Amino acid sequence: MSGTPSDIKLIDENGIRIDGRKVDEMRPLKIEAGVLKRADGSAYLEWGKNKVIAAVYGPRECHPRHMQNPAKAIVQCKYNMMSFSVSDRKRPGPDRRSIEISKIISEALENVVFTENFPRTSIDVYIEVLQANAGTRVAGLTAASVALADAGIPMKDLVPAVAVGKADGQIVLDLNKEEDNYGSADLPIAMIPRTGEVVLMQMDGHMTMEEVDIALGYATKACREIYEVQKDALRRRYAVQAGAVDEDDSSDEEA
Ligand code: CDP
């Protein structure tokens, strides 16, 4: 995040952002559950220009063994950005940023999964960012919780997440890449709409208390919308399973 160059205007005089949205409007969001056959659970998400896939394996025996917790499962998330997902080629492999994002997503998910049901195991969550345009950590978390539900892992609830920020001095919902780069604040948040519980909150930049109030209001409304898209993805997934025999599955088993 850096200061706005004077020639870049992120919000016009009518309150419209450079991608045509109003300040409290989210980018279009689509989620599909159960997209990978080999994973126990999976989800594919498109959110504006972000494209993210999440795959879940487990609960399975935790390796290395010294990481096992005799009282509960551990949730291990690996967030990764493909080399081609950003405008400058990203060097493959983990870096400080992806290690941080993996950690905060693991912690957010540990808050909702009934980990005590599966002692000594690991629940592995892989998040692959195929195309990035700001907000990939919240997109990854949103997809991962659908993939966990698709894997049939008992959990308190789904976890919708969104980033709120500040551009041209105004609070804006769901930052795009330009707003993330040239705006002055970024506040990713994950909230369970049913209980209001916040399982992830970060802050980059500065906001006044009044601005935080506005931002939380936008995020609360957006998380409710995202939650409906998540539930709809799972409903569609199980409507398909109930209604049709998967021909690819049977040919796989014969092979
Ligand atoms: O993606 P998110 O907003 O959660 O995380 P960020 O660290 O605030 O990154 C914002 C955006 O910067 C990403 O979504 C990418 O579009 C971009 N980015 C990039 O172009 N190259 C990187 N190595 C990392 C991020």
Side-chain angles (χ1 to χ4, degrees):
M1 195 161 307
S2 53
T4 314
S6 51
D7 53 334
I8 295 183
K9 216 168 167 340
L10 297 169
I11 303 178
D12 73 13
E13 51 289 347
N14 301 316
I16 300 298
R17 296 151 73 176
I18 46 180
D19 53 14
R21 284 182 292 154
K22 299 189 195 111
V23 287
D24 61 350
E25 201 177 326
M26 226 174 66
R27 292 174 289 185
L29 171 64
K30 282 196 296 193
I31 308 178
E32 206 176 321
V35 291
L36 302 173
K37 270 196 204 315
R38 304 280 171 252
D40 294 323
S42 59
Y44 172 69
L45 171 153
E46 284 184 8
W47 190 339
K49 292 180 191 155
N50 288 311
K51 295 186 178 180
V52 175
I53 201 149
V56 167
Y57 296 81
R60 59 188 180 184
E61 195 178 352
C62 177
H63 289 289
R65 287 197 162 199
H66 70 83
M67 303 242 325
Q68 287 184 358
N69 184 330
K72 58 180 193 166
I74 57 169
V75 179
Q76 301 194 80
C77 172
K78 283 206 177 78
Y79 163 101
N80 179 53
M81 259 182 165
M82 298 286 184
S83 297
F84 50 79
S85 65
V86 286
S87 42
D88 295 328
R89 176 183 179 275
K90 188 204 159 276
R91 194 162 176 266
D95 52 21
R96 280 171 58 104
R97 177 177 171 277
S98 64
I99 292 166
E100 174 227 318
I101 295 177
S102 300
K103 180 173 184 291
I104 53 126
I105 293 180
S106 302
E107 288 170 359
L109 293 173
E110 266 184 357
N111 277 295
V112 289
V113 173
F114 290 119
T115 50
E116 58 283 1
N117 291 6
F118 308 101
R120 297 187 191 285
T121 66
S122 172
I123 297 167
D124 300 322
V125 180
Y126 297 89
I127 295 172
E128 297 290 342
V129 178
L130 311 177
Q131 192 169 287
N133 192 266
T136 61
R137 73 192 65 208
V138 288
L141 178 52
T142 298
S145 80
V146 174
L148 278 168
D150 181 45
I153 292 176
M155 54 206 275
K156 267 199 290 194
D157 217 328
L158 293 164
V159 186
V162 70
V164 202
K166 194 166 151 185
D168 285 356
Q170 291 196 52
I171 299 302
V172 289
L173 175 65
D174 185 23
L175 301 175
N176 61 35
K177 181 77 168 63
E178 291 73 17
E179 292 162 349
D180 190 285
N181 280 6
Y182 304 117
S184 53
D186 179 9
L187 195 160
I189 181 163
M191 190 191 289
I192 300 170
R194 205 169 39 84
T195 57
E197 190 184 348
V198 172
V199 292
L200 180 149
M201 189 168 183
Q202 297 185 291
M203 176 71 160
D204 185 8
H206 299 279
M207 281 187 197
T208 63
M209 280 311 292
E210 292 72 32
E211 287 169 340
V212 171
D213 273 348
I214 298 170
L216 291 180
Y218 287 178
T220 306
K221 188 169 153 284
C223 282
R224 283 198 205 110
E225 276 175 46
I226 298 161
Y227 188 60
E228 292 306 317
V229 179
Q230 290 177 307
K231 285 195 295 187
D232 184 56
L234 289 162
R235 253 185 238 120
R236 276 184 286 114
R237 155 83 164 139
Y238 289 100
V240 170
Q241 273 203 344
V245 177
D246 190 333
E247 285 172 18
D248 284 355
D249 260 351
S250 50
S251 61
D252 261 17
E253 275 154 26
E254 280 161 23

